[in-house]
Amino acid sequence: MTYEVKSLNEECGLFGVWGHTDASRVTYFGLHALQHRGQEGAGIVANDSGKLNGHRGLGLLSEVFRDDRDIDRLTGNAAIGHVRYATSGNGSIDNIQPFHFKFYDGDFALAHNGNLTNNRTLRKELEQNGAIFHSNSDTEVLMHLIRRSHHPEFCGKVKEALNTVKGGFAYLLMTEDCMIAALDPNGFRPLAIGQMQNGAYVVSSETCAFESLGATFVRDIQPGEIIILNDNGYTIHRYTEDTVLQICSMEFVYFARPDSNIAGVNVHKARKEMGRRLAIENPIEADIVVGVPNSSLSAASGYAEKSGLPYEMGIVKNQYVQRTFIQPTQELREQGVRMKLSAVRSVVEGKRIVLVDDSIVRGTTSRRIVSLLKEAGAKEVHVVISSPPLKYPCFYGIDIQSRRELIAANHSVEEIRQIIGADSLYFLTEEGLINSIGLETTAPYGGLCMAYFNGDYPTPLYDYEEHFQKTMEEHTDFFEVCKAVPQKN
Ligand code: AMP
């Protein structure tokens, strides 16, 4: 039996700068700090006194921009850039952003992080009315909507377009004379403004990029806002008042870098608190606490601190194995995980281990790591997960669109424990997750989107509604899948 699993995708990263003589180089370094958000492709479009020039390609930033000449060619005082991991559209060069559109009355560049839930309907309508698309990504839709708007002013056109698209979106747009940043009405994706020492404004998906550029944080872009940046600074506008904060909780659990702050909360601190709460919710008799590098180390340190157990480096990650997630089959992916992580035998041998990981999606990683630890002599492996069971797909920018892919959608906690071979298995509760992040808001679920865990989607699903109903009926027998995957090391 072969079982094809679609690769799990992270999200995209956006970065832009206005008012810096070396804008494309600043953007390169900004994107470098956001590389964890997408490794499939990258691009930069720079603005030289109204003339837009771009360079984009498949792969890591360092593969796309191979030497200084690739950056030097992109002259100008403003630029926007993108690192991509496909959530909509396939992985061809056509879908690599920023998109650069050339109109009779000026150029326009556009980059997007998120996923539109009414893309198919809008695209069909637009095509029926003569629009031509160059990619199959959902990003181009916004540009067509802006161009078709009858509003007399550019900002009005953008507002109209933003009120038409639905779902999760953070956009960065650049025209000849301004840069525009906009966020969806739920603020699913983070987006913040910073300022460099020379006064130039920067916009980034995550604040970690500000740190690496010596920029200071100015403010988070709020749901429903449009920020216009130009030579006079920036102005704040709104395209809707109908907003409810629902930041993607997986940003805090897994996606974002620990040195980023989202809505005023540091990601490392939130993860550490998840670990502390896990220790309170699930005390375990054990000898050491081990985190799965890298995303679970903060939570593991929290668990160790609260439980009083020593924190040990029981697993090492090979930092040079870049993209194990691009491997297409379960069997190859298993080999990828093995290439990536090794157990430190002298640390784990004979020990009862609390193994902390951030999430279980298909269960492949946990199963692999438990067996790595046991083969290295661990006496017991108790797995604690710093998020609740992932049971529902995401339609706002994470590429988990089928319940078939999610082990917790198909099995009880006890069944998952058996599948991954752990001695015990615990997940953080929804309440524990919400309280660990602790956003200052009165919005439902503490201002977080918890749909992956409870199926309560903050918006209608539009084009995905039928797909969602179908996926709710799907069931995959993971016991069968596991039997089919060779367990050798
Ligand atoms: P799995 O092996 O499928 O259970 O994947 C679980 C691991 O993937 C976790 O340890 C996370 O670190 C990581 N992860 C969680 N969500 C995602 C995602 N959407 N894309 C890529 N990796 C993820």
Side-chain angles (χ1 to χ4, degrees), residues 123-190:
R123 189 170 172 135
K124 193 168 159 202
E125 277 170 22
L126 287 162
E127 282 186 18
Q128 279 166 350
N129 287 307
I132 295 169
F133 286 81
H134 293 282
S135 72
N136 55 12
S137 120
D138 61 353
T139 306
E140 267 185 277
V141 163
L142 189 83
M143 184 275 301
H144 283 286
L145 292 171
I146 294 172
R147 291 298 290 186
R148 270 150 207 261
S149 163
H150 294 295
H151 199 283
E153 289 166 3
F154 184 67
C155 187
K157 290 179 196 291
V158 176
K159 284 185 182 175
E160 231 174 69
L162 289 170
N163 275 307
T164 310
V165 293
K166 306 290 177 205
F169 53 83
Y171 284 115
L172 258 188
L173 263 99
M174 190 169 61
T175 68
E176 299 184 347
D177 48 25
C178 73
M179 183 164 91
I180 296 179
L183 197 59
D184 69 64
N186 298 97
F188 289 114
R189 303 293 147 219

Side-chain angles (χ1 to χ4, degrees), residues 8 11 54 66 73 75 78 83 106 109 121 150 171 181 203 206 234 253 261 272 308 310 313 363 398 412 417 434 438:
L8 259 190
E11 322 178 287
R66 291 197 164 265
R73 224 172 41 76
T75 51
V83 284
T121 303
H150 294 295
Y171 284 115
V203 176
E206 284 184 44
Y234 72 89
V253 170
N261 295 341
K272 193 163 177 191
M313 194 196 279
I398 299 175
S412 67
R417 183 196 69 73
I434 291 167

